[in-house]
Amino acid sequence: MEKLSISTEYITLGQVLKEVGAIDTGGMAKWYLSEYEVYVNGELENRRGKKLFSGDRVKLADETSIEIVHE
């Protein structure tokens, strides 16, 4: 499982997609979430603005798993 370290209280799902290289620009987040299944903590999620906090887990369509950790 990949760990994504954040220095703020939270990060949005769209920002996570960009950070891990699933999308090239923030504007692609809406398209990505409409085309691919993304799970947050085991539940299907399609809101690019969904706030993710330390301990949250994201699973992308290509089976990549990311855990959010606070620095």
Side-chain angles (χ1 to χ4, degrees), residues 16-68:
V16 169
L17 293 174
K18 188 173 177 189
E19 286 291 322
V20 300
I23 58 175
D24 294 325
T25 65
M28 293 176 67
K30 188 175 182 178
W31 165 81
Y32 185 92
L33 292 169
S34 70
E35 294 291 319
Y36 300 101
E37 290 185 344
V38 175
Y39 291 87
V40 174
N41 298 326
E43 295 186 17
L44 188 61
E45 184 59 67
N46 61 5
R47 297 173 292 170
R48 63 188 168 110
K50 168 75 175 164
K51 293 178 182 177
L52 304 174
F53 299 88
S54 183
D56 285 343
R57 295 174 183 224
V58 179
K59 186 173 182 184
L60 303 181
D62 66 359
E63 300 298 317
T64 301
S65 293
I66 303 122
E67 181 177 2
I68 309 301

Side-chain angles (χ1 to χ4, degrees), residues 4 6 9-13 15-16 19 50-52 68:
L4 178 62
I6 60 172
E9 181 183 356
Y10 66 87
I11 187 169
T12 65
L13 182 55
Q15 290 171 323
V16 169
E19 286 291 322
K50 168 75 175 164
K51 293 178 182 177
L52 304 174
I68 309 301

